[in-house]
Amino acid sequence: MLRFSTFFMVFGNIIPSAIREAIGDWLHGLFSRIFFDSEFTFNIEDTWQHFHNETYRAVGVYLPTRIGPSTASLVIGHNDHNDIMAPVQPAIAVGSTIVDHFQGHRFEWVLCEKNENPGSFNSRKKRWYKLKCRKKNREFVTETYIPHVCRAADEIIKERDGLSIFTYNKDDAYWDATVFKHPSTFETLAMDPAQKQEIISDLDLFVQRKDFFRSVGRAWKRGYLLYGPPGTGKSSLVAAIANHLKFNVYDLQLQSVKSDSDLRTVLTATTNRSILLLEDVDCSSKSTETKLSKEEEDKHKDKHKQRDEKKSSINPGVTLSGLLNFIDGLWSTCGDERIIILTTNHKEKLDPALLRPGRMDVHIHMGYCSFAGFVLLADKYLGVKEHSLFKVIEAWMQKVAVTPAEVAQQLMKTNDAQVALDGLIQFCKNKEKEKAEAAAAAAKAPVVTAELQAEEVSKKSEATATEKDISSQSESQSGDSSSSSSSSSSDDDDED
Ligand SMILES: Nc1ncnc2c1ncn2[C@@H]1O[C@H](COP(=O)(O)OP(=O)(O)OP(=O)(O)O)[C@@H](O)[C@H]1O
């Protein structure tokens, strides 16, 4: 005790005050670093300013790669619906601690969860990662460690072989992911070879033009409209594009999105290098919606009026044009390498404003099966490149409009090429017969009308020019439909 006080007296007399203070600060810093430096906690929540938090997503991808001896539990599973034997993937369990060491520092992670607004209609489970570190490492975390986590997650995502297809879950207003393993590729797709090559070149050019899009001040996105009758391969082409570019697919049913705010949430949650797919857009376009609701209204006018009014005031829904406006605006500025694909059986029903260049840059017509398309399908389905029946089938392909789906259906009935090709010829014959019968029925219709009209005329003596127009229109329609070719008159055939 005496020695200590003597030491401080001598220390106080001999050492100048400035040096004494500096030594004191240094000792304080040293002691507090060793004994008193408190922990600091970062919380990385699943949402950030109402949108899905990309840092949260990155942590979720990164952490399963850092599982060590201190990890007590883990979630495993997979969502490959095509393969129950697919290898399981690890994910972080709620409450489990993961310790990560990076550049000599120790970081402790915990995934937390709590129910927000329990019991209320909009209750939801909120999740966040808690990251504990030394207080002095705060800057290191934000400037070095988190960027390292995000970079590593980006690499992991890029290296993953499988693609995902996301479908919109209207209950959560979010995307449900599943493994995307569609066998369709440009190789298996029956379509005009030149058209196919054109599409591939367009896609390849698009992904190479990052700098070009930046230099001309345009968002790096491209819109494709696929149109044509059912069964001509629109969905197959979407899958072929996804497989070619290795892009995930976000499949959006516009009718199920409740509001603009939900739309904003789901669209901003889509990732780069992805396809936003809207199938059968003629069914979700505003004109169709209006028409249907009017028919409904006529039918159930009084009974449902109040309920419908209430419903529409709560849920105004979103329209295709609303979606495209959004894509032109905010969405175009917050993502790169985005492809938007609209498919329709009725291009003519769409508002031309929706299809203008800049929105839908490329319009691809998917037509009936050509002979070249048949040859490809015969090769894929039967392993046959040449056959004596090919000439007969070529003639039928020029005569009857058959979709690639119909051809594929005939070819996959048996492994025996002769039987399958005979079956296809028979199918074409039946189709032609049905068409002839339909044409005859249509040609008969004006005769019946004329007979009725003649009766009317004799009764009322009121022959009008309009009746002639109707009958001639019917004749011309039946004439059109019987002469429809595989591609140019597809829309007429769609109606069939
Ligand atoms: N062009 C094609 N090449 C190869 N196969 C095709 C083609 N078109 C259709 N098919 C076959 O027919 C099936 C149905 O085709 P797909 O769903 O792609 O047609 P679609 O035009 O999208 O039809 P819809 O308009 O009814 O959605 C496919 O699974 C595929 O087996």
Side-chain angles (χ1 to χ4, degrees), residues 10-177:
V10 174
F11 180 81
N13 290 337
I14 299 173
I15 312 285
S17 65
I19 296 178
R20 255 183 301 153
E21 272 170 30
I23 293 172
D25 281 349
W26 178 77
L27 280 173
H28 179 266
L30 182 69
F31 273 89
S32 57
R33 268 203 295 281
I34 295 170
F35 297 110
F36 306 116
D37 186 24
S38 52
E39 281 184 330
F40 191 84
T41 303
F42 287 93
N43 290 305
I44 300 171
E45 300 184 351
D46 53 1
T47 55
W48 178 254
Q49 296 178 348
H50 308 297
F51 295 120
H52 289 273
N53 186 350
E54 287 303 303
T55 313
Y56 175 88
R57 195 167 79 91
V59 175
V61 172
Y62 171 81
L63 278 190
T65 67
R66 315 303 298 166
I67 286 155
S70 60
T71 311
S73 69
L74 205 60
V75 176
I76 54 167
H78 72 79
N79 57 357
D80 186 346
H81 300 310
N82 304 311
D83 181 9
I84 199 166
M85 300 295 291
V88 290
Q89 289 167 6
I92 305 305
V94 174
S96 164
T97 302
I98 310 281
V99 176
D100 185 24
H101 292 275
F102 178 67
Q103 293 189 3
H105 302 292
R106 182 180 187 275
F107 299 102
E108 196 179 297
W109 292 90
V110 184
L111 176 60
C112 308
E113 182 181 86
K114 89 166 180 199
N115 218 345
E116 271 194 338
N117 311 319
S120 84
F121 77 98
N122 61 345
S123 76
R124 93 172 182 106
K125 276 190 182 142
K126 175 187 168 147
R127 284 188 169 192
W128 71 100
Y129 288 102
K130 201 182 256 188
L131 165 60
K132 279 189 197 162
C133 65
R134 304 284 291 275
K135 209 169 203 170
K136 64 170 181 165
N137 285 339
R138 275 179 307 184
E139 272 181 28
F140 179 79
V141 167
T142 52
E143 284 170 19
T144 310
Y145 180 55
I146 293 293
H148 152 75
V149 169
C150 295
R151 241 187 334 268
D154 192 41
E155 287 300 316
I156 294 164
I157 291 168
K158 275 187 195 151
E159 274 173 27
R160 275 185 192 161
D161 286 338
L163 298 178
S164 295
I165 181 158
F166 299 85
T167 44
Y168 176 68
N169 178 336
K170 67 177 172 195
D171 295 329
D172 295 348
Y174 198 52
W175 298 105
D176 285 339

Side-chain angles (χ1 to χ4, degrees), residues 188-190 229-236 280 345 366 377 381 404-405 408:
T188 64
L189 207 59
T232 49
K234 297 179 292 299
S235 308
S236 307
D280 301 322
N345 295 334
M366 301 298 287
L377 291 175
Y381 282 77

Side-chain angles (χ1 to χ4, degrees), residues 265-481:
T265 309
V266 293
L267 287 186
T268 45
T270 60
T271 54
N272 288 348
R273 297 177 59 75
S274 67
I275 295 170
L276 176 67
L277 171 65
L278 287 112
E279 288 198 279
D280 301 322
V281 281
D282 50 283
C283 303
S284 58
S285 72
K286 194 156 188 203
S287 59
T288 320
E289 275 167 21
T290 318
K291 199 174 149 211
L292 285 178
S293 61
K294 192 168 184 319
E295 279 166 13
E296 279 292 296
E297 213 176 284
D298 288 346
K299 224 171 162 187
H300 311 283
K301 209 166 191 173
D302 297 327
K303 201 171 163 192
H304 295 286
K305 201 174 174 192
Q306 271 190 332
R307 199 191 64 189
D308 288 349
E309 275 168 6
K310 197 174 162 201
K311 197 171 144 198
S312 68
S313 68
I314 295 167
N315 175 15
V318 286
T319 59
L320 182 59
S321 82
L323 169 89
L324 293 178
N325 281 335
F326 183 70
I327 285 173
D328 285 348
L330 175 70
W331 196 63
S332 68
T333 59
C334 64
D336 273 341
E337 278 190 291
R338 309 296 185 107
I339 285 183
I340 305 147
I341 302 182
L342 308 187
T343 76
T344 178
N345 295 334
H346 300 282
K347 185 185 172 188
E348 75 287 352
K349 281 193 189 172
L350 300 180
D351 181 346
L354 304 177
L355 308 178
R356 69 170 165 73
R359 276 182 167 166
M360 291 301 114
D361 305 282
V362 185
H363 295 198
I364 300 170
H365 177 243
M366 301 298 287
Y368 289 107
C369 198
S370 63
F371 179 62
F374 156 75
V375 172
L376 188 142
L377 291 175
D379 184 18
K380 297 287 169 209
Y381 282 77
L382 301 168
V384 171
K385 288 191 192 313
E386 284 287 340
H387 198 281
S388 55
L389 289 177
F390 274 20
K391 277 261 167 280
V392 186
I393 290 172
E394 184 173 12
W396 276 110
M397 296 275 117
Q398 284 163 8
K399 214 161 146 193
V400 187
V402 197
T403 65
E406 288 169 330
V407 174
Q409 193 189 23
Q410 295 304 315
L411 297 187
M412 65 193 291
K413 279 187 174 166
T414 166
N415 288 335
D416 187 328
Q418 180 73 34
V419 178
L421 296 178
D422 274 336
L424 177 60
I425 293 168
Q426 191 54 47
F427 178 81
C428 293
K429 281 182 186 165
N430 292 346
K431 234 188 159 186
E432 197 199 29
K433 200 170 148 216
E434 280 167 22
K435 205 170 183 182
E437 283 167 4
K444 245 185 178 177
V447 176
V448 174
T449 315
E451 281 166 4
L452 287 173
Q453 283 165 1
E455 276 177 34
E456 290 277 303
V457 168
S458 64
K459 278 181 194 161
K460 296 178 187 173
S461 308
E462 278 179 9
T464 63
T466 322
E467 288 151 2
K468 255 190 185 169
D469 289 346
I470 291 168
S471 75
S472 70
Q473 197 179 13
S474 301
E475 275 164 12
S476 82
Q477 274 175 7
S478 69
D480 278 352
S481 87

Side-chain angles (χ1 to χ4, degrees), residues 229-249:
T232 49
K234 297 179 292 299
S235 308
S236 307
L237 177 57
V238 174
I241 292 174
N243 285 327
H244 181 74
L245 296 178
K246 300 218 175 319
F247 277 18
N248 290 329
V249 178

